[in-house]
Amino acid sequence: MDMDFTPDELAFQHDVRAFLQTHLTARLIDGARRTPGVFVEPDIGLEWQRILHEKGWLATHWPVEHGGPGWTPVQRYIFEKECAFAGAPALPVLGLKLVGPVICRFGTPEQQARFLPRILSAEDYWCQGYSEPGSGSDLASLTTRAVLQGDTYRMNGSKIWTTHAHYANWIFCLVRTDNDVSAQRGITFLLVPMDQPGITVTPIITMAGDHEVNQVFFDDATSGVENRIGDEGQGWTIAKHLLENERGGSCFAPKLLVDIDRLAMTAGEVPSGVNGAIGHDPVIARRLASLRLRARAFEITELRILAEIAKGRPPGPQTSLVKLFSANLRQELDTLAMEIHGLAGLQLPDERPLYGNEAPEPVGSVDAQLAAGRYLNSRAWTIFGGSDEVQKNIIAKTVLGL
């Protein structure tokens, strides 16, 4: 595989860097830096989304006819890598990278005209209704029921671990519409408005102290048949397409490499009672080097997958490799950060504003304040989007042929 960028790709990289230098504000960088989890707060993420939307650089996974920039897979990689190096906040992934591509591929022209522009403009904010209290890794066992009465579906049941449901005005759901067929064939993909009396959002406060996820209850909640994506019973097929985007729709290696370099820099400043800075400890240095080498190898894997996509081959089960590697590297990195920061990593974040007249704090002190939150939050990486065990089964069956 040729790893060198073409002259056009190098020119694009220069354009991205120039844009980030002029449009990525200190407020956005600081907001991203103070985020312990995967999702930034909407006031940060949506501000960055609107800036990219105005530039036409937002829906990088969408076809041009629906508002995508028409980039090649390599250009998407360059953009995400430069954003990671610059410290840009994460975008609201649920609308842009999950349900948006589903509507592009499976939605009717009317659904595309109705929903896609509002995702781009940030007028609609989405959450995902997949997991249930008794249906996590075994997603096909879900029981939330939707019965079609005339032109309206009436829903009853609940979804759990619903990220940012307390902000969302729409939820995309997997619902059971037929109990008389196999589990997978009875599932339908439905878009449901959140602002109605039949929906209750109950906060779930994580052990990191975050209110990021929720349980959502449906008590005779309704959604019109015009909000069904695809046919009844097609939900499992659509869900698999969406999960491929969730597991491998982004480039994870660049952000990992940035965070590893930042931790190595911090380790060189954290005092140790034995050898000066803790980063001089050979055990710590070896673990940082191992993380960096594996993240580099992981980056090559992501680039190989992008090369296949560029040839018109869908990534398929290879996305499970991406999910498996990125989740475990992230957990190992956050564990090492806790060890490096020690007691300083157990302090609560202060109440200072994200921006103002004060001089910014050193990077190390902010990372120390967030070390515990990041460590606790990243415990979910090997569970969400399909647990490690699920990914290994997919790899064993579809990649290794076992």
Side-chain angles (χ1 to χ4, degrees):
M1 181 176 64
D2 186 0
M3 296 296 295
D4 294 327
F5 290 144
T6 66
D8 287 345
E9 289 164 349
L10 289 172
F12 175 75
Q13 183 184 49
H14 179 271
D15 291 343
V16 171
R17 288 179 178 175
F19 177 81
L20 292 172
Q21 288 175 355
T22 57
H23 290 81
L24 185 60
T25 65
R27 163 185 157 82
L28 293 175
I29 294 172
D30 199 46
R33 185 158 59 95
R34 293 175 184 269
T35 299
V38 177
F39 291 79
V40 299
E41 293 297 299
D43 64 319
I44 298 295
L46 292 179
E47 181 179 337
W48 182 229
Q49 174 174 334
R50 293 184 182 103
I51 291 171
L52 292 177
H53 180 39
E54 183 177 353
K55 177 67 174 176
W57 283 3
L58 184 58
T60 60
H61 291 69
W62 295 17
V64 174
E65 60 269 24
H66 294 310
W71 290 347
T72 66
V74 174
Q75 286 177 307
R76 291 206 308 266
Y77 167 79
I78 290 171
F79 176 74
E80 294 201 26
K81 186 168 185 175
E82 293 301 325
C83 283
F85 285 168
L91 290 165
V93 65
L94 297 167
L96 290 169
K97 292 187 177 180
L98 299 189
V99 76
V102 161
I103 296 173
C104 288
R105 177 168 176 179
F106 297 97
T108 65
E110 293 77 16
Q111 290 169 335
Q112 292 164 353
R114 178 185 177 190
F115 290 108
L116 295 180
R118 293 179 62 88
I119 294 175
L120 293 174
S121 65
E123 294 174 83
D124 287 339
Y125 195 84
W126 288 82
C127 60
Q128 178 180 17
Y130 270 31
S131 294
E132 298 181 5
S135 302
S137 296
D138 183 17
L139 187 58
S141 67
L142 64 90
T143 59
T144 294
R145 186 88 165 107
V147 178
L148 185 59
Q149 299 176 346
D151 292 331
T152 301
Y153 283 99
R154 191 167 296 278
M155 292 176 56
N156 286 279
S158 71
K159 298 293 180 178
I160 202 166
W161 313 124
T162 315
T163 304
H164 280 196
H166 51 305
Y167 297 123
N169 63 327
W170 280 89
I171 181 171
F172 55 93
C173 285
L174 292 181
V175 295
R176 187 159 303 285
T177 50
D178 192 341
N179 285 321
D180 297 327
V181 295
S182 66
Q184 288 87 348
R185 290 176 58 199
I187 294 173
T188 297
F189 196 99
L190 190 63
L191 313 181
V192 183
M194 292 285 288
D195 53 348
Q196 57 172 299
I199 295 182
T200 303
V201 177
T202 301
I204 297 175
I205 307 302
T206 69
M207 59 184 176
D210 301 323
H211 177 199
E212 190 174 68
V213 294
N214 308 269
Q215 186 165 5
V216 180
F217 296 91
F218 305 95
D219 299 296
D220 283 336
T222 61
S223 187
V225 69
E226 70 275 7
N227 295 330
R228 184 188 69 213
I229 303 297
D231 298 326
E232 278 201 3
Q234 196 181 0
W236 191 252
T237 298
I238 297 172
K240 289 191 294 184
H241 173 78
L242 183 145
L243 285 170
E244 286 180 1
N245 282 329
E246 182 176 9
R247 294 166 181 166
S250 300
C251 297
F252 294 100
K255 182 66 167 64
L256 282 165
L257 288 165
V258 167
D259 289 347
I260 292 167
D261 287 342
R262 174 178 290 167
L263 182 59
M265 180 182 68
T266 301
E269 300 170 354
V270 174
S272 169
V274 181
N275 298 313
I278 196 169
H280 299 159
D281 185 312
V283 174
I284 297 295
R286 188 183 308 116
R287 289 171 67 184
L288 282 166
S290 174
L291 272 171
R292 185 180 287 108
L293 286 171
R294 283 179 287 145
R296 291 288 184 193
F298 174 50
E299 184 178 33
I300 299 299
T301 299
E302 288 193 316
L303 287 170
R304 290 177 64 185
I305 292 173
L306 288 175
E308 293 298 305
I309 295 173
K311 297 174 184 177
R313 301 170 186 168
Q318 291 176 332
T319 58
S320 289
L321 290 168
V322 171
K323 171 63 169 60
L324 185 66
F325 292 155
S326 62
N328 284 271
L329 284 171
R330 170 56 60 186
Q331 285 189 348
E332 188 173 341
L333 173 61
D334 290 339
T335 299
L336 181 57
M338 275 293 293
E339 295 180 31
I340 287 174
H341 288 294
L343 290 177
L346 297 178
Q347 63 181 306
L348 294 175
D350 61 27
E351 299 299 327
R352 293 182 60 183
L354 294 181
Y355 59 95
N357 296 324
E358 303 97 329
E361 296 176 85
V363 169
S365 65
V366 174
D367 289 340
Q369 290 179 2
L370 293 173
R374 287 173 176 159
Y375 169 81
L376 294 171
N377 193 292
S378 71
R379 298 306 91 193
W381 269 83
T382 49
I383 300 172
F384 65 60
S387 67
D388 270 16
E389 292 76 14
V390 169
Q391 309 308 329
K392 290 175 181 178
N393 282 341
I394 292 172
I395 294 166
K397 292 178 182 178
T398 60
V399 178
L400 303 178
L402 300 179

